Amino acid sequence: MKTELFCDRNGQENMAVAQLKTLIWRYFISYWNRRRICSANDGLPPAVKRQRCYAALDAAV
C-alpha cells in the first residue's frame, strides 16, 4: 500500500489528514474488496464471492 499509494504521488509530505483518510479509504474499497484474492473464498475477491452468493440466493427463491 505504501508504494502504490504514497511514493508515486507528488507532494505527499504536505497532505492534510482528510486527504490521507480519503486516499486510504479509496484504496481499501478498490483493492481490498474488489481485487484481493482470498484463499477462503476459493481464490475469488470478496466482492465477487458476495455477488455470487446473492445471485444464488435470488435463484433459489
Side-chain angles (χ1 to χ4, degrees):
M1 183 167 111
K2 181 179 172 185
T3 302
E4 297 169 2
L5 195 58
F6 302 114
C7 293
D8 295 339
R9 294 187 178 272
N10 293 328
Q12 68 252 16
E13 296 88 13
N14 299 326
M15 286 185 150
V17 174
Q19 290 174 320
L20 185 62
K21 286 181 179 181
T22 301
L23 284 174
I24 291 171
W25 179 250
R26 286 180 181 170
Y27 178 83
F28 176 76
I29 292 300
S30 70
Y31 173 75
W32 196 256
N33 286 331
R34 297 197 173 128
R35 292 183 283 159
R36 172 183 60 101
I37 294 173
C38 184
S39 61
N41 291 339
D42 300 323
L44 298 172
V48 173
K49 182 69 172 184
R50 194 175 314 112
Q51 287 172 348
R52 288 185 182 182
C53 180
Y54 291 150
L57 288 174
D58 288 341
V61 174

